[in-house]
Amino acid sequence: MSVTGVSANLAPLIQSVLDINKRLTTLQQQLSSGQKSDTYGGLGAQSGIAVALNAQLAALSSYDQTMTSVGTNVSLQQQVLQLVAKTAATVQASAVQQSSFTIGGSGQTTVQSSAADALNQMLSALNTQGGNGYLFSGSALNQPSVDISDHILNGNGAAAGLRQVISERSQADLGADGLGRLVIPPAAGATVSVSEDAAGSPFGLKLAAVSATLTNAVVTGPSGSPAAIGIDLSGGNPNNGDTVTFTLTLPDGSAQTLQLQATTSATPGANQFSIGATPAATAANLQAALTAGVAQIGSTTLSAASALAAADNFFDDPPMRVSGAPATATALVAGTSANTVFWYTGNSATGSIRSSATARIDPTMSVAYGAQANEQGIRWLVQNVAALAATSYSTSDPNAAASYSALSQRVYAAISVPSGVQNITDIEASLANAQNAMIAAQDQHAQTSNTLTNMLQSIQGVDTTEVGAQILSLQTILSASLSTTARLSQINLLAYLGPVA
């Protein structure tokens, strides 16, 4: 008979203890981490599903981070747009509140000086940077959106600024004789005529219409190229109080009427002409009154309209300049970076401006949030504030007050944004669409993430209560196994056979 050694019986028991201890270690790690395993390999057949779920959650997190960044940029864009609009509205209110015309040493009113400060604020705001770069430079994120106020108003070296462009345009619109590029020759017998100085020219006053209540007169036009109007009094003198009304189009597109009234007085008032002894004498008086009335328009409303037209030219892309000697010029020419300041220094998109900056916020959705400072809604406010800030007057000019009044009224009306011109709120609304899309995507992502997390938890996670119970059970078994092992380890052959008699 053979006797098996105690150590041979202990081996399986010791291995069992080691297995229990290993299992306890695993359970304790699960209890502390809440996860079945710290590696995908520990998940067995469900490891592939866990990998896929984690990848989806990571993608959603990446999209959410993108939306957080883009959302910050869009919020900044909205704040800038609101500041630009608010600043322009302040200038607008000031433009009609000034009760008296007083100019300082710079040749400007306090309202105009304030407009210059406002322009600087608007331009500084448009150069705001977000997380990715300049917010209003289109796709040119590393390029400032606009030039500085000093360069825009006063020029930069050989490059002309707005003030120079306004001066040149004023000369081109007024002409050498101050008659707004209209030709009013001396009356030819009993006939008075007025014509534009050149066909197709963008400068000066344009003859839009004429109407008259002049008895015995024959009025023709405007017709021909260049347009002309004729008033033939050879049929006889008009009656006292009869009128002739000219409708003129100014460079900014606004209309101006000039009504001249016949009078029997030998000392006619403003916009009146004396009825002479003969139709020829009356025609001469009408020609003089027409010349004086046009000259008055030239130094007041035409000057103001010219400043707004010049601002529109300057803020165009590219900026447009008077071609040739201003007083006789008949065309505009595109400025170059060498001779004209380009106020907008970002990139101009060839397609949709919003699409100049896009971000994917979901596997099936992207948002467009690009913006440019030269968008019409922004440019319109900037150019009209700039026109007020750039114009100056002379204390020796008797028409300065009337000219300034015409300018401030035009700026006031323009900042209200006429029909057909993009409003800055339109830009805000299109950016708000991107914000709303991101809010909706974030809500959807939150729901999806919650579902995916629950699915992942069912694969990777553990029930800590159940794990705790298993640990207690294994600890009991381990304790018993250790006790048994300890007792067996103390048994030898003598102890096994018992005491010898």
Side-chain angles (χ1 to χ4, degrees):
M1 181 182 75
S2 63
V3 179
T4 303
V6 175
S7 59
N9 292 323
L10 280 176
L13 191 55
I14 291 173
Q15 185 59 50
S16 175
V17 170
L18 293 175
D19 291 342
I20 293 171
N21 192 59
K22 181 179 179 181
R23 178 60 180 156
L24 273 173
T25 300
T26 299
L27 289 172
Q28 287 169 345
Q29 289 175 343
Q30 291 179 348
L31 186 63
S32 61
S33 67
Q35 302 295 309
K36 290 180 180 177
S37 173
D38 57 1
T39 65
Y40 287 117
L43 300 178
Q46 292 185 306
S47 61
I49 299 175
V51 169
L53 292 174
N54 273 315
Q56 292 182 59
L57 286 169
L60 291 176
S61 177
S62 178
Y63 290 133
D64 287 342
Q65 289 176 8
T66 296
M67 284 189 282
T68 297
S69 177
V70 173
T72 299
N73 284 349
V74 174
S75 293
L76 286 172
Q77 288 172 324
Q78 296 281 34
Q79 291 174 27
V80 169
L81 292 172
Q82 291 165 13
L83 186 150
V84 168
K86 181 179 179 180
T87 303
T90 300
V91 172
Q92 180 188 38
S94 300
V96 293
Q97 288 177 354
Q98 184 164 322
S99 58
S100 61
F101 177 72
T102 304
I103 56 177
S106 62
Q108 294 189 308
T109 66
T110 55
V111 170
Q112 289 179 287
S113 297
S114 296
D117 293 335
L119 176 64
N120 187 56
Q121 293 174 20
M122 295 165 78
L123 295 172
S124 296
L126 290 171
N127 270 335
T128 297
Q129 296 185 61
N132 297 327
Y134 290 92
L135 298 175
F136 290 90
S137 290
S139 60
L141 299 177
N142 296 324
Q143 180 68 31
S145 307
V146 295
D147 206 336
I148 63 174
S149 178
D150 180 57
H151 290 170
I152 289 173
L153 291 177
N154 303 313
N156 182 19
L162 178 58
R163 287 194 167 108
Q164 182 177 337
V165 172
I166 286 177
S167 174
E168 293 172 356
R169 175 84 201 220
S170 178
Q171 296 173 61
D173 285 324
L174 286 173
D177 56 7
L179 295 180
R181 306 298 290 270
L182 295 180
V183 179
I184 310 175
T191 300
V192 175
S193 65
V194 54
S195 65
E196 298 172 12
D197 72 341
S201 169
F203 305 120
L205 300 168
K206 305 301 176 186
L207 301 173
V210 63
S211 61
T213 62
L214 298 174
T215 306
N216 302 317
V218 176
V219 179
T220 58
S223 60
S225 182
I229 290 173
I231 303 172
D232 184 358
L233 300 178
S234 58
N237 274 328
N239 295 322
N240 183 53
D242 286 354
T243 61
V244 57
T245 303
F246 301 87
T247 301
L248 308 171
T249 301
L250 281 72
D252 65 346
S254 62
Q256 172 75 43
T257 59
L258 173 61
Q259 186 176 79
L260 302 176
Q261 184 183 54
T263 179
T264 55
S265 172
T267 55
N271 294 334
Q272 288 185 328
F273 61 96
S274 295
I275 300 172
T278 64
T282 302
N285 293 337
L286 173 57
Q287 188 273 347
L290 176 59
T291 301
V294 170
Q296 178 66 19
I297 291 173
S299 59
T300 53
T301 53
L302 175 58
S303 177
S306 177
L308 290 188
D312 189 58
N313 293 156
F314 179 82
F315 285 91
D316 205 349
D317 184 19
M320 302 302 292
R321 302 285 301 279
V322 174
S323 178
T328 57
T330 59
L332 291 165
V333 63
T336 67
S337 57
N339 63 25
T340 312
V341 169
F342 282 57
W343 82 283
Y344 176 66
T345 54
N347 178 67
S348 292
T350 55
S352 167
I353 291 176
R354 297 293 162 265
S355 296
S356 63
T358 60
R360 183 163 291 280
I361 61 172
D362 189 82
T364 61
M365 184 184 303
S366 294
V367 292
Y369 62 99
Q372 295 176 191
N374 64 346
E375 292 186 55
Q376 187 183 44
I378 301 172
R379 169 193 156 179
W380 183 261
L381 297 181
V382 172
Q383 76 180 44
N384 282 287
V385 171
L388 186 61
T391 309
S392 58
Y393 301 91
S394 170
T395 55
S396 61
D397 181 3
N399 295 307
S403 180
Y404 170 74
S405 176
L407 176 64
S408 59
Q409 289 174 17
R410 279 169 164 74
V411 170
Y412 176 86
I415 293 178
S416 293
V417 186
S419 176
V421 175
Q422 182 192 45
N423 197 303
I424 204 167
T425 56
D426 297 331
I427 304 174
E428 292 182 85
S430 63
L431 291 173
N433 290 336
Q435 288 178 309
N436 292 335
M438 288 188 289
I439 291 172
Q442 286 174 325
D443 289 343
Q444 181 61 45
H445 288 180
Q447 296 176 23
T448 303
S449 294
N450 185 56
T451 300
L452 294 177
T453 299
N454 289 338
M455 292 174 63
L456 189 61
Q457 182 63 21
S458 69
I459 296 172
Q460 293 182 326
V462 295
D463 184 335
T464 54
T465 301
E466 181 180 342
V467 171
Q470 290 181 37
I471 290 174
L472 288 175
S473 176
L474 285 175
Q475 285 176 337
T476 301
I477 295 172
L478 179 62
S479 178
S481 296
L482 288 174
S483 177
T484 301
T485 303
R487 290 178 180 178
L488 287 175
S489 66
Q490 295 172 3
I491 295 175
N492 53 41
L493 182 60
L494 293 176
Y496 178 78
L497 293 176
V500 179

